[in-house]
Amino acid sequence: MVVVSCVSSSLSVANATGGVASKSLSVAVSAVPTSATSTTVPAKNVKTVKPVKPKNKNVAGAITVNVPVTAAGSTGASITTSVVVLPVEITGLISVCANKSTSLLRDTADNSCSTSSEVKVEWLDTGISPKICVNNNNREMALAQDGKCATKNSAIADVTANKQILACTDAKTGVLRYQASGVCGTKTEPVTWLLKDQGVARNVSDAVKTDGIQIISLVNFGTTNAPSNSVTTSPAINTSPVTSTTTTIATAVPNATTTTTVALHASGSFAGYFGGTCPDGSGTPWYWGSDGTARAGGCSAAASIAPIITTATPTAVSAITTTAVTTTVAPVSPGTPATPTVVRGSNQITVSVTAGTGGTPASYTVSASPQVSGVTRTCTVIGASGSCIVTGLIDGTEYTFTASATNSSGTSSESIASISIYPMTVPGTPQPTTGIAGNSRVTLSFAANSGDAATTYAKSTQWNAFYSTAIDGTYSSSACVAITGYGLTSGSCTVSPLTNGTPYFFKIKALNSSGTSSLSSASSSVTPNGPGTPTIGIATVVSATSVTVACTAPSYEGDATITSYTATSSPGGKTGILNSPTCSSAITVIGLTSGTVYKFSVKATSSIGTSAASAFSNSVTPATLTCAQGGTCIVGNTGPGGGLVFYVASDFTSTGSDCNTTCKYLEAAPVGWGNGISVITGETTGTSTADPILFWCSNTTTLRNATTKTAIGDGRPNTATGTEAGWATCTSGAMYQAELYAGGGKTDWHMPSFNELGQMFNQKTLISTNLCCYTASTEVGATLNKHFNMADGGSGWVFKSGAYYLRPIRAFG
């Protein structure tokens, strides 16, 4: 008995009008006979079906073919079998015609399209295909160009809930029309197409639905290399220490080989011409995309023919025979090993080896040179590669190492010697260090662990110092690094920069070629003994080329008295020196460049050394100063207090003023200075254009000063001081208001003396004082004081109890 599982080596497929389109198919046929004899397979009985003239080439009539069959275990003779091939639906190829100008779709009635006006459009039944446009007026269906509909009254066909679109084919013209109702006309549109997901098409005519029609899908097996008889042989040379190998000989007997040929539209293949006109008169060329959608290309694109892809089915194997074969081959002696690599340790070296050419080593012998007490120190590696440790070596002594390889066939020659290396023991924890203080530094002395062998320090040793401001705090690495030579176990180094006046603690550790010791215990505290760092003050521009810098002496002077302070500019490095144990006076720095922005730092110096620099001052820009900024003044300039300069002279003294003994100028408060000030009964407050009218003082019967003072410079002491017994402080009046005024942020304004009023009269137009009369701070007695008539220059004395005009003034240098 023979069982046939699949059909058809070639078949003809009926097209829409009953024509035949040739298709190449293939099947795999397996036969399992009860004996090696020829067998005839009877045809399968099929229910008679009324012939139907299908409108799609996917449906074929039944045909008969001969299938060659080779039985397993036979000598290869063919068994000729008659098989009835049933009508089939080819799951794969859909074919319609599309108008070149309108893209209108028509069923391929005779498996061909009009060459003058149409092009055949085919796509695979893969679930992805060209999108279809539906005309809203006549339901005609057209191919969407690049996923879009060409006309305004068309739209992509709707997909119903079951993901299907019904298209009806006109019986006369073959034009496809969209049918939303799901039913086609029985006379004019008898053939139905079912478009799944906008493109997967199957003919669903009654012929396919009729009982007895067996649907057989085309199966693409892909390309698979068939197995063949093969034999694996033993190696020609045995590089292993094992002397025998086992191989397998496999024999495969093929049953049958078949081929499947399917026409496919590969990505990039030519799809046809649709609409538009290129220079050569053709329409715009379209090509199949990787997603199965046809897309328009450029006019210059070259057409290509859809490829024919041929794949082979795997060969069935009826039997496999396996045979074990043992072959004995003599191993090869190992070649000279590679140069060994080495790693140092304490009184020992670790040596690593690898094989050279030739046979595989079973072991290695590693030898050290020179000998130790007349004995060569060795170690052994087991295996094809690895490492071992040569012990019993002397720390600090240089050694090289060689290796030889061995297997059952013999021993190789010695390898090239390794690099020279010496074993070494890691240093023990050093002894606690001691320190000597200096200016911003401490010099440390250190020594090795007393229990270390001398060979631990046979080579060079590096020592590193660490410091902290707390004995149990975090220790920071310093730049204190010392290198001691062969055999030296102690040394010294300096830790800097440190802060003078701050106690420090120190630890040390040692490092040699084998490793690093742990940190020593902490030292006793050591305090750097140079001068402390001064505190920076305000930098002030003096002129276009000079600046003064203020500072404050440090709280820690060190082990010697500070003798000077140095201010340094940045940029430029210009300096100024103040020779003083304190920084009570500003330091003047000259030689600066006008218009350049500077900042300054200050250092203190003693016999021990110079302190660290202070922080930087505020930034200043030397330039020619205005009178208000402290530069040279002339009459009429605005002074630092915001008043008008009315008097210029060489130095004069104004005790109590900021300038004190170096005063050069007098400025008068501007008009309106007393606008709105509080006054008592009998007084008149000032306005924006007039000075206030005030009593001399709240105390009008007591002598304020022992003697009368009238000179330039006397106004400030007249106003600010009182020396006579019984003198009382003023709580109102001109004396009180002059002292209270603080124009320009200055607090040394005062009531003018008699002579200072005279200078104001000389500049009365400038300072707008042309009234009678202005009161002076100069007293005549306990109840009298001087005054000045700014209108005519008259002067004399008046009672303190009278009310007169006041204009405060101030002196500056």
Side-chain angles (χ1 to χ4, degrees):
M1 176 181 179
V2 176
V3 179
V4 179
S5 61
C6 192
V7 300
S8 184
S9 61
S10 68
L11 60 86
S12 296
V13 182
N15 59 28
T17 59
V20 177
S22 178
K23 289 291 172 181
S24 176
L25 304 175
S26 110
V27 292
V29 180
S30 298
V32 185
T34 55
S35 63
T37 61
S38 298
T39 304
T40 299
V41 181
K44 179 180 178 181
N45 293 325
V46 180
K47 181 179 178 180
T48 303
V49 180
K50 182 180 179 179
V52 176
K53 189 176 183 180
K55 293 290 291 180
N56 182 270
K57 70 176 183 177
N58 291 352
V59 180
I63 58 176
T64 302
V65 298
N66 292 327
V67 181
V69 178
T70 301
S74 71
T75 60
S78 295
I79 303 173
T80 302
T81 305
S82 178
V83 180
V84 176
V85 180
L86 302 176
V88 299
E89 175 190 19
I90 301 175
T91 303
L93 195 60
I94 307 303
S95 180
V96 295
C97 295
N99 188 282
K100 293 181 179 181
S101 299
T102 65
S103 297
L104 193 67
L105 297 181
R106 183 176 63 83
D107 192 14
T108 55
D110 56 358
N111 198 35
S112 64
C113 299
S114 172
T115 57
S116 61
S117 62
E118 293 180 322
V119 65
K120 183 187 293 184
V121 180
E122 296 178 327
W123 64 87
L124 294 179
D125 182 9
T126 60
I128 302 176
S129 58
K131 292 185 178 180
I132 305 298
C133 295
V134 176
N135 188 297
N136 295 330
N137 298 325
N138 56 24
R139 299 182 292 113
E140 290 182 350
M141 304 180 74
L143 185 66
Q145 298 186 10
D146 203 13
K148 299 178 181 179
C149 295
T151 59
K152 294 183 178 179
N153 64 342
S154 296
I156 299 296
D158 294 331
V159 178
T160 60
N162 61 358
K163 293 291 185 180
Q164 296 177 348
I165 300 173
L166 188 65
C168 301
T169 305
D170 189 290
K172 296 181 179 180
T173 65
V175 172
L176 298 182
R177 289 188 176 88
Y178 174 64
Q179 182 56 267
S181 66
V183 179
C184 292
T186 57
K187 294 182 178 181
T188 59
E189 298 172 335
V191 180
T192 300
W193 284 73
L194 195 62
L195 305 179
K196 296 181 179 178
D197 292 328
Q198 296 185 352
V200 179
R202 288 187 177 86
N203 187 302
V204 291
S205 67
D206 290 341
V208 177
K209 297 178 181 178
T210 304
D211 292 339
I213 300 299
Q214 181 178 355
I215 305 300
I216 301 175
S217 295
L218 180 69
V219 178
N220 184 356
F221 289 92
T223 301
T224 305
N225 293 327
S228 60
N229 294 346
S230 60
V231 176
T232 302
T233 61
S234 301
I237 299 176
N238 184 5
T239 60
S240 169
V242 181
T243 60
S244 64
T245 58
T246 300
T247 60
T248 299
I249 301 175
T251 303
V253 179
N255 200 0
T257 300
T258 58
T259 301
T260 300
T261 301
V262 182
L264 300 175
H265 284 294
S267 175
S269 65
F270 180 64
Y273 295 99
F274 299 97
T277 301
C278 287
D280 61 358
S282 65
T284 302
W286 281 53
Y287 294 85
W288 292 103
S290 60
D291 61 354
T293 300
R295 287 185 170 84
C299 286
S300 62
S304 62
I305 298 175
I308 300 299
I309 298 177
T310 302
T311 57
T313 61
T315 299
V317 178
S318 60
I320 297 178
T321 302
T322 303
T323 304
V325 179
T326 300
T327 304
T328 300
V329 180
V332 176
S333 298
T336 303
T339 303
T341 58
V342 290
V343 178
R344 68 166 47 87
S346 177
N347 299 114
Q348 63 187 32
I349 298 294
T350 299
V351 183
S352 297
V353 292
T354 56
T357 58
T360 303
S363 65
Y364 298 85
T365 299
V366 175
S367 303
S369 178
Q371 295 179 330
V372 178
S373 301
V375 176
T376 299
R377 309 300 297 176
T378 64
C379 66
T380 301
V381 175
I382 302 300
S385 63
S387 61
C388 62
I389 300 173
V390 180
T391 60
L393 305 177
I394 300 173
D395 281 356
T397 300
E398 301 277 348
Y399 295 92
T400 60
F401 299 85
T402 58
S404 60
T406 301
N407 66 14
S408 59
S409 290
T411 298
S412 73
S413 58
E414 293 285 331
S415 69
I416 297 173
S418 70
I419 62 171
S420 179
I421 189 173
Y422 56 86
M424 185 64 67
T425 301
V426 176
T429 304
Q431 300 179 45
T433 185
T434 58
I436 299 176
N439 179 40
S440 301
R441 66 186 60 207
V442 171
T443 300
L444 300 177
S445 296
F446 49 81
N449 188 303
S450 58
D452 282 352
T455 53
T456 301
Y457 305 93
K459 301 292 183 180
S460 63
T461 305
Q462 176 177 305
W463 308 80
N464 297 88
F466 297 78
Y467 66 95
S468 174
T469 55
I471 190 169
D472 295 324
T474 300
Y475 282 75
S476 301
S477 178
S478 73
C480 176
V481 178
I483 305 296
T484 57
Y486 292 73
L488 296 179
T489 58
S490 62
S492 66
C493 69
T494 299
V495 181
S496 68
L498 301 173
T499 302
N500 287 329
T502 299
Y504 290 90
F505 300 87
F506 302 90
K507 293 182 178 182
I508 201 83
K509 69 179 179 181
L511 168 69
N512 68 11
S513 55
S514 285
T516 303
S517 74
S518 56
L519 280 170
S520 69
S521 56
S523 68
S524 299
S525 66
V526 184
T527 303
N529 59 359
T533 303
T535 302
I536 192 66
I538 299 298
T540 304
V541 174
V542 175
S543 71
T545 59
S546 62
V547 169
T548 58
V549 181
C551 68
T552 303
S555 58
Y556 179 77
E557 190 173 38
D559 289 350
T561 301
I562 294 173
T563 57
S564 65
Y565 294 87
T566 302
T568 304
S569 72
S570 176
K574 298 293 184 179
T575 60
I577 298 176
L578 174 65
N579 293 310
S580 170
T582 64
C583 203
S584 56
S585 299
I587 307 168
T588 300
V589 181
I590 63 174
L592 304 175
T593 301
S594 178
T596 300
V597 179
Y598 291 95
K599 53 186 177 180
F600 301 85
S601 62
V602 177
K603 295 180 180 180
T605 300
S606 72
S607 59
I608 293 177
T610 299
S611 73
S614 70
F616 280 111
S617 70
N618 57 296
S619 295
V620 293
T621 304
T624 300
L625 302 179
T626 65
C627 176
Q629 294 172 327
T632 301
C633 301
I634 61 174
V635 172
N637 286 159
T638 299
L644 291 173
V645 177
F646 65 92
Y647 176 76
V648 177
S650 57
D651 292 348
F652 63 89
T653 298
S654 177
T655 304
S657 295
D658 288 347
C659 54
N660 198 16
T661 60
T662 59
C663 302
K664 295 181 179 179
Y665 313 101
L666 290 174
E667 63 175 322
V671 175
W673 73 272
N675 185 20
I677 64 173
S678 298
V679 297
I680 63 174
T681 302
E683 295 180 330
T684 302
T685 188
T687 68
S688 61
T689 59
D691 293 319
I693 301 173
L694 308 169
F695 299 125
W696 191 82
C697 178
S698 57
N699 182 345
T700 60
T701 59
T702 302
L703 185 66
R704 188 173 177 84
N705 287 291
T707 59
T708 60
K709 292 187 176 182
T710 62
I712 290 176
D714 284 345
R716 179 61 186 169
N718 286 347
T719 303
T721 61
T723 58
E724 183 67 21
W727 170 81
T729 302
C730 295
T731 58
S732 63
M735 192 72 70
Y736 170 77
Q737 293 291 352
E739 176 71 14
L740 187 64
Y741 180 63
K746 305 299 182 180
T747 58
D748 55 352
W749 292 88
H750 57 269
M751 185 190 297
S753 69
F754 181 73
N755 287 355
E756 290 171 344
L757 277 176
Q759 293 300 323
M760 292 173 66
F761 172 76
N762 293 337
Q763 301 294 337
K764 65 179 183 178
T765 301
L766 173 69
I767 61 177
S768 301
T769 55
N770 58 354
L771 302 174
C772 180
C773 294
Y774 278 79
T775 185
S777 62
T778 301
E779 297 173 278
V780 176
T783 60
L784 303 173
N785 69 287
K786 289 279 190 177
H787 79 286
F788 213 101
N789 186 338
M790 293 296 176
D792 58 13
S795 63
W797 56 267
V798 294
F799 284 101
K800 293 179 180 179
S801 57
Y804 299 94
Y805 290 106
L806 170 68
R807 178 71 67 86
I809 68 170
R810 68 179 292 272
F812 64 95

